[in-house]
Amino acid sequence: INVAGHRLGTREIEECISGHKAVAEVAVVGVADQLKGQVAIAFAVLRDPGRASLALEGEVMKHVDAQLGAVARPARVHFVTLLPKTRSGKLLRRALQAVAEGRDPGDLTTLDDPTALIQVKTLLQK
């Protein structure tokens, strides 16, 4: 993704966030932004789902800040219970990105559990 002229790999950011003790799994996508071109948005599954809070979101952002720098810090960290994956276990980042940008996610015939994407849509509409 290209954040304010800096080329960042979503995989780097994912690895950094997954290094946080509260995070079990994470997916990062680049979402269009008028000011910066793109910003990173993270969707994280927590080890303890009851711990989701704004304080934890800030903690995860500070973790990325310390490891990779402020330019790599996600604009938001959304806590979900399930990430959209194919039947073979591959993350559907393109579908996450499309939903985050308000676009049609396209062909989802390989989606393993449709409730994962529904959860993301509901979360982003709030």
Side-chain angles (χ1 to χ4, degrees):
I1 62 174
N2 192 333
V3 179
H6 299 275
R7 297 206 24 96
L8 302 171
T10 55
R11 190 79 183 146
E12 264 182 309
I13 302 169
E14 287 174 353
E15 287 175 8
C16 181
I17 293 173
S18 66
H20 189 281
K21 62 183 182 283
V23 177
E25 191 176 20
V26 65
V28 174
V29 295
V31 178
D33 182 74
Q34 286 189 350
L35 181 63
K36 296 182 179 181
Q38 283 185 310
V39 293
I41 302 288
F43 297 92
V45 176
L46 297 176
R47 294 183 196 281
D48 178 11
R51 193 164 171 233
S53 66
L54 281 176
L56 182 60
E57 180 180 4
E59 195 178 303
V60 170
M61 287 179 173
K62 283 181 188 174
H63 182 73
V64 174
D65 241 353
Q67 300 287 320
L68 301 175
V71 72
R73 181 180 55 229
R76 285 298 314 267
V77 178
H78 296 287
F79 299 115
V80 294
T81 56
L82 189 63
L83 291 173
K85 296 181 182 177
T86 64
R87 287 182 209 97
S88 62
K90 183 178 177 187
L91 277 170
L92 282 172
R93 285 183 185 85
R94 67 165 177 81
L96 277 173
Q97 182 182 26
V99 168
E101 290 182 340
R103 294 184 287 116
D104 177 34
D107 181 24
L108 297 173
T109 55
T110 61
L111 188 63
D112 184 38
D113 188 351
T115 59
L117 211 52
I118 292 168
Q119 180 188 22
V120 170
K121 282 181 188 177
T122 306
L123 183 67
L124 292 173
Q125 288 174 352
K126 289 182 183 178

